[in-house]
Amino acid sequence: MIEDKNQQRTQLSDLGEFGLIDHLTQNFKITQSSTVKGIGDDAAVLNFENKRVVVTTDLLVEGVHFDLSYVPLKHLGYKSIVVNLSDVFAMNAKATQVTVSIAVSNRFPLEALEELYAGIETAANVYGIDVIGGDTTSSTTGLLISVTALGEVEANEEVYRNGAKSNDLLVVSGDLGAAYMGLQVLEREKEVYKVNPNNQPDLEPYTYIIERQLKPEARKDIPVLLAELGVKPTAMIDVSDGLSSEIIHICKQSEVGCDLYEEKIPLDPQVISTCEEFDIDSTTVALNGGEDYELLFTISQDDYVKIKANPNLTVIGHMKQASEGMHLVTRADTRIPIKAQGWKNFNA
Amino acid sequence: MIEDKNQQRTQLSDLGEFGLIDHLTQNFKITQSSTVKGIGDDAAVLNFENKRVVVTTDLLVEGVHFDLSYVPLKHLGYKSIVVNLSDVFAMNAKATQVTVSIAVSNRFPLEALEELYAGIETAANVYGIDVIGGDTTSSTTGLLISVTALGEVEANEEVYRNGAKSNDLLVVSGDLGAAYMGLQVLEREKEVYKVNPNNQPDLEPYTYIIERQLKPEARKDIPVLLAELGVKPTAMIDVSDGLSSEIIHICKQSEVGCDLYEEKIPLDPQVISTCEEFDIDSTTVALNGGEDYELLFTISQDDYVKIKANPNLTVIGHMKQASEGMHLVTRADTRIPIKAQGWKNFNA
């Protein structure tokens, strides 16, 4: 028997630019009442009534933010939406719409873009948002995804980075460091694969941390939860660059200091065990790893009773006078100044 | 004497990502009353009260949409804003804010990005819009600019592509084909320069068409003018891909046909003379050249008296039943079906 070895591979040039956009977005549905007109005109038209509108944007670049040798395109599409929604939630807002633009080289067949857009569509469905526009163009090399996300929030319910006060409590959702350790495992397996492509990696012990890297979720639930608990944070930010970096943003913009307690930093058991395996300090990973997409916020001490029993939230420190500085208080009770590391994309 | 031959050239890695954004956007001012919070938090916060919000986005990619061998970075920054604002004006809206994201390789020094942002700032000042956010990241190659523009319009004053009716008049602002002919001149001079770098080109006869290519303007004035004249177009689109392509968009979405009169198409004398020099048909250039950023719209015949004396506006045809098709009526009074050409970025 003769096998058909041709994988389906449609050239992008077969469709042209308009055909491509139409094809990729044909399944997208409008579900938000604020969307008057989505894709298909010079611009989308939205109606937020008297609510405040939040707008945020992010670029994801192949070879800088993702490596297609171990990131499935569907996951990448999903993640490209999630990282933007995380910024909307960090304003205490509800995410409502996104625009998605991609630049892509001819080496990608149509089927690859369909995978990418399937991930985008899944994220839109999971988070209940509308894809209202975008642009699709060729690039001379690689894949680049630019997403702009919009959200809505009642006037005066938005939360900035600059409202933290001395004595406020510092709170974080979920746990930290998992996405970074997931990346370490994926990069190790890539090296192993290069040496021996027949080696079947056992990724079972790393399921959680790999999922946190490849398919992160944004904390849509936290603004809702805080509203239910009757808590309005004094400042909020999402943890995309690492806990250190985000604490510094809040402290600088709010003109306060901070004590962060090492023993309070929430870590998943898989993060701890993988850190031991890689001989990396788990606190360093939580502080500098990034890509957690958890929410970091400050609340008045008066609100402590409202949040203390909630398993989604951990108090990890408290704010001080700016003159007292920003410190990590270690398990050994020493005080180490907090410095930003995070991602340095421009380093050669 | 020993000359200092070092041009100022600061590596992007010297600043890091946060330093770079802060540095590039430090001069940007907030002027729109709808901007509550601009750059500096997880997201910008806007207040459009009860107006409708329009959102549009575009990607510009080096080697696809621009060639840095003859496009100055300051002009590129200006143009990247203008092409997006054009889509806002095409909705009959007022432009209010933009986000600007760039991906840039390390081969660009800081001074190059400062030039780019100087152009962005100039456009923001000229058009009275706020730059409210963005992202700056490294790319593995070249420069890419992603802009999202927002605008506002009173409810029911927005104009879509789908409202044209049979017997409506087809109107265009300004003149067509100049940007395309400017590009032809620039590409010819680039070839001449390659052969003889000492050759000084005389670009004096091409001033207007080169400016239309390198530093186009969007028709901010047209929605204002139409409101003053008491005319609400039945459909509107901006001419970015060429007149043919835009007429087809309006006809298909409005389910109408069209007669376009060749003799009515507005052409600048420089376009006509340069077309003769290059032995290109000027009607073909107007139909398929693109990048004019004029506004193409349809109005009820009842509104003809309101616009007929205006030097900014030219009636170039009228709409018909869909079954009658879309045709160019030539000077020789033959009827040629209108077909889209436009830019085909994905062609190999």
Side-chain angles (χ1 to χ4, degrees):
Chain A
M1 262 185 76
I2 296 163
E3 238 179 53
D4 180 7
K5 288 193 179 167
N6 290 324
Q7 274 196 294
Q8 204 181 342
R9 208 180 143 85
T10 311
Q11 296 296 318
L12 295 182
S13 51
D14 295 348
L15 282 100
E17 190 180 334
F18 299 127
L20 183 59
I21 294 171
D22 288 349
H23 178 82
L24 292 172
T25 59
Q26 62 190 347
N27 294 325
F28 287 24
K29 287 171 199 68
I30 296 302
T31 61
Q32 286 290 324
S33 60
S34 54
T35 307
V36 179
K37 169 79 184 177
I39 290 169
D41 216 293
D42 292 281
V45 179
L46 310 175
N47 176 13
F48 292 104
E49 295 172 344
N50 257 312
K51 298 195 188 78
R52 297 294 170 268
V53 181
V54 305
V55 183
T56 178
T57 191
D58 261 314
L59 273 184
L60 293 176
V61 181
E62 183 180 354
V64 178
H65 300 99
F66 57 88
D67 180 339
L68 289 177
S69 65
Y70 53 72
V71 177
L73 280 161
K74 193 169 175 180
H75 285 59
L76 179 64
Y78 191 89
K79 183 171 176 174
S80 69
I81 302 301
V82 165
V83 302
N84 275 276
L85 300 187
S86 182
D87 282 319
V88 172
F89 302 139
M91 302 304 291
N92 206 31
K94 177 190 166 192
T96 47
Q97 289 92 7
V98 293
T99 66
V100 182
S101 294
I102 61 169
V104 59
S105 78
N106 275 321
R107 79 173 155 93
F108 290 85
L110 176 63
E111 289 72 21
L113 293 191
E114 286 174 341
E115 277 294 294
L116 183 75
Y117 271 76
I120 291 166
E121 191 184 354
T122 303
N125 290 338
V126 167
Y127 287 91
I129 53 153
D130 296 340
V131 179
I132 55 159
D135 196 4
T136 310
T137 185
S138 58
S139 79
T140 47
T141 166
L143 175 64
L144 183 142
I145 309 170
S146 175
V147 175
T148 298
L150 294 104
E152 62 183 29
V153 55
E154 294 293 340
N156 304 319
E157 289 302 312
E158 70 269 29
V159 175
Y160 298 97
R161 296 175 177 176
N162 66 1
K165 301 274 179 294
S166 184
N167 295 320
D168 280 355
L169 299 176
L170 182 67
V171 186
V172 72
S173 64
D175 55 71
L176 301 173
Y180 180 82
M181 290 315 298
L183 183 63
Q184 303 316 305
V185 170
L186 288 167
E187 294 203 328
R188 182 180 67 183
E189 295 310 323
K190 183 183 170 184
E191 293 307 312
V192 170
Y193 178 85
K194 277 187 195 165
V195 176
N196 180 4
N198 294 317
N199 187 58
Q200 286 291 320
D202 176 17
L203 297 177
E204 182 62 31
Y206 312 109
T207 316
Y208 176 69
I209 61 176
I210 289 174
E211 180 153 341
R212 291 279 282 179
Q213 170 59 228
L214 292 183
K215 190 167 170 289
E217 301 292 349
R219 299 306 302 250
K220 179 186 180 180
D221 57 323
I222 299 294
V224 178
L225 174 67
L226 291 171
E228 285 169 3
L229 296 173
V231 174
K232 188 189 171 193
T234 52
M236 187 149 63
I237 191 169
D238 79 316
V239 184
S240 53
D241 294 308
L243 184 59
S244 289
S245 175
E246 318 308 352
I247 287 176
I248 292 169
H249 279 306
I250 286 183
C251 286
K252 284 198 172 165
Q253 294 198 28
S254 298
E255 298 179 7
V256 292
C258 181
D259 271 0
L260 167 69
Y261 291 90
E262 183 181 20
E263 65 181 357
K264 302 288 188 189
I265 297 171
L267 301 172
D268 186 84
Q270 253 181 38
V271 170
I272 296 170
S273 61
T274 313
C275 281
E276 282 169 3
E277 186 186 335
F278 278 73
D279 198 19
I280 307 178
D281 178 57
S282 59
T283 301
T284 305
V285 166
L287 287 173
N288 302 321
E291 293 202 282
D292 294 309
Y293 303 109
E294 296 294 342
L295 293 179
L296 178 73
F297 56 95
T298 54
I299 61 169
S300 162
Q301 293 215 8
D302 299 340
D303 286 332
Y304 175 63
V305 290
K306 298 178 189 168
I307 67 130
K308 69 175 180 180
N310 197 293
N312 287 296
L313 304 176
T314 309
V315 177
I316 57 174
H318 63 270
M319 313 318 279
K320 307 183 77 170
Q321 298 292 335
S323 58
E324 298 176 87
M326 301 172 279
H327 293 92
L328 175 73
V329 182
T330 67
R331 291 192 184 84
D333 209 24
T334 56
R335 295 168 58 81
I336 302 173
I338 294 173
K339 286 181 184 156
Q341 303 278 341
W343 284 20
K344 295 282 184 295
N345 285 332
F346 283 110
N347 283 358
Chain B
M1 262 185 76
I2 297 164
E3 238 179 53
D4 179 7
K5 289 193 178 169
N6 291 324
Q7 275 195 294
Q8 204 181 343
R9 207 181 145 85
T10 311
Q11 297 296 318
L12 295 182
S13 49
D14 295 349
L15 283 101
E17 190 179 335
F18 300 127
L20 182 60
I21 295 172
D22 288 350
H23 178 81
L24 293 172
T25 60
Q26 62 191 348
N27 294 325
F28 287 24
K29 288 170 197 69
I30 296 302
T31 61
Q32 285 290 324
S33 61
S34 54
T35 307
V36 179
K37 169 78 185 180
I39 291 168
D41 216 292
D42 292 281
V45 179
L46 310 174
N47 175 12
F48 292 103
E49 295 172 342
N50 256 313
K51 298 195 188 78
R52 297 295 170 268
V53 181
V54 305
V55 182
T56 178
T57 191
D58 261 315
L59 272 185
L60 294 175
V61 180
E62 183 180 356
V64 179
H65 300 99
F66 57 87
D67 179 339
L68 288 176
S69 64
Y70 54 72
V71 178
L73 280 161
K74 193 170 174 179
H75 285 58
L76 179 64
Y78 192 88
K79 183 171 176 173
S80 69
I81 302 301
V82 165
V83 301
N84 275 276
L85 300 187
S86 182
D87 282 318
V88 172
F89 302 140
M91 302 304 292
N92 205 32
K94 176 189 168 194
T96 48
Q97 290 93 6
V98 292
T99 66
V100 183
S101 294
I102 61 168
V104 60
S105 77
N106 275 322
R107 79 174 155 93
F108 290 85
L110 176 63
E111 289 71 21
L113 293 191
E114 286 174 343
E115 276 296 294
L116 183 76
Y117 271 77
I120 291 167
E121 189 183 357
T122 303
N125 290 338
V126 166
Y127 287 90
I129 52 152
D130 296 340
V131 179
I132 55 159
D135 196 5
T136 310
T137 185
S138 57
S139 79
T140 46
T141 166
L143 175 64
L144 183 144
I145 309 170
S146 175
V147 175
T148 298
L150 293 104
E152 61 183 30
V153 56
E154 296 292 340
N156 304 318
E157 289 301 313
E158 69 269 28
V159 175
Y160 297 97
R161 297 175 177 176
N162 67 0
K165 301 275 179 293
S166 183
N167 296 319
D168 281 356
L169 300 175
L170 183 67
V171 186
V172 72
S173 64
D175 55 69
L176 300 173
Y180 180 82
M181 290 315 297
L183 183 63
Q184 303 314 306
V185 170
L186 288 168
E187 294 203 329
R188 182 180 66 183
E189 294 310 323
K190 183 184 170 185
E191 294 307 312
V192 170
Y193 178 86
K194 278 187 195 166
V195 175
N196 180 4
N198 294 317
N199 187 59
Q200 286 290 320
D202 176 16
L203 297 178
E204 181 63 31
Y206 312 109
T207 317
Y208 175 68
I209 61 175
I210 289 175
E211 178 152 341
R212 290 279 281 178
Q213 169 61 226
L214 293 183
K215 190 167 170 290
E217 301 291 351
R219 298 307 300 252
K220 178 185 181 180
D221 57 323
I222 298 295
V224 178
L225 173 67
L226 291 172
E228 284 169 5
L229 296 173
V231 175
K232 188 190 171 192
T234 51
M236 187 150 61
I237 190 169
D238 78 319
V239 184
S240 53
D241 294 308
L243 184 58
S244 288
S245 175
E246 318 307 354
I247 288 176
I248 293 169
H249 279 306
I250 286 183
C251 286
K252 285 199 172 167
Q253 294 198 27
S254 298
E255 298 178 5
V256 293
C258 181
D259 271 1
L260 167 70
Y261 291 90
E262 183 180 21
E263 64 182 359
K264 301 289 188 188
I265 297 172
L267 300 172
D268 186 85
Q270 251 180 39
V271 171
I272 295 170
S273 61
T274 313
C275 281
E276 283 171 1
E277 186 186 336
F278 278 74
D279 198 19
I280 307 178
D281 178 56
S282 60
T283 301
T284 305
V285 166
L287 288 174
N288 303 321
E291 294 203 282
D292 294 309
Y293 304 109
E294 297 294 343
L295 293 179
L296 177 74
F297 56 94
T298 54
I299 60 170
S300 163
Q301 294 216 8
D302 299 341
D303 286 332
Y304 175 64
V305 291
K306 300 178 187 168
I307 67 130
K308 69 175 180 181
N310 198 292
N312 288 296
L313 304 176
T314 310
V315 177
I316 56 173
H318 63 270
M319 313 318 278
K320 306 185 79 172
Q321 298 292 335
S323 58
E324 297 177 88
M326 302 172 278
H327 294 91
L328 175 73
V329 182
T330 67
R331 290 191 185 85
D333 208 25
T334 56
R335 297 167 58 80
I336 301 174
I338 294 173
K339 287 182 184 154
Q341 303 278 340
W343 284 19
K344 295 284 184 297
N345 285 332
F346 284 109
N347 283 359

